[in-house]
């Protein structure tokens, strides 16, 4: 076998190895950007955060109650204020003579 044949065989081997690495990388990227994979990772993250939040809430029930109360007050403040707001007495509208309107 001549040196040119050896170089060609080496180049073909290297090209096959490079193609195999590229195929593996493309496969990994396709898996990462697959919507099902993204949704699964998001659901796992939410589940973990929910578990952490539940544990914190169980350790601090007073704080949770205070936060929920504050949020409730913020949500209903306008309707409650409307109940206690005084209605303005209506003043008869006085127009000047000759004024249009």
């Amino acid at each position: 076998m001549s040196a040119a044949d050896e170089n060609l065989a080496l180049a073909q081997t290297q090209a096959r190895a490079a193609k195999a690495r590229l195929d593996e990388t493309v496969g990994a990227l396709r898996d990462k950007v697959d919507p099902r994979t993204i949704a699964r990772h998001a659901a796992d993250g939410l589940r973990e955060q929910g578990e952490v939040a539940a544990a914190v809430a169980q350790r601090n029930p007073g704080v949770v109650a205070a936060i929920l109360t504050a949020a409730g007050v913020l949500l209903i403040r306008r309707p409650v204020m409307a109940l206690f707001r005084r209605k303005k007495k209506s003043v008869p509208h006085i127009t000047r003579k000759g004024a249009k309107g």
Side-chain angles (χ1 to χ4, degrees):
M1 196 179 233
S2 69
D5 290 338
E6 289 177 9
N7 286 340
L8 178 61
L10 178 63
Q12 287 175 339
T13 303
Q14 289 174 343
R16 280 192 291 272
K19 184 179 181 317
R21 286 193 310 271
L22 181 63
D23 288 343
E24 183 180 333
T25 302
V26 169
L29 288 174
R30 280 189 181 146
D31 185 47
K32 282 186 178 183
V33 298
D34 181 34
R36 288 174 288 197
T37 303
I38 293 171
R40 190 177 330 110
H41 286 305
D44 291 343
L46 286 173
R47 188 178 313 111
E48 289 172 8
Q49 290 300 318
E51 290 170 359
V52 169
V56 169
Q58 286 177 349
R59 286 193 309 263
N60 303 303
V63 173
V64 173
I67 290 171
L68 291 176
T69 301
V73 167
L74 285 174
L75 289 173
I76 64 167
R77 71 183 184 276
R78 286 191 178 152
V80 169
M81 292 303 293
L83 291 174
F84 294 104
R85 202 173 292 135
R86 290 186 184 177
K87 294 188 179 196
K88 294 181 183 179
K89 292 182 181 179
S90 61
V91 178
H93 185 66
I94 303 173
T95 59
R96 292 180 292 164
K97 282 188 176 184
K100 294 182 178 179

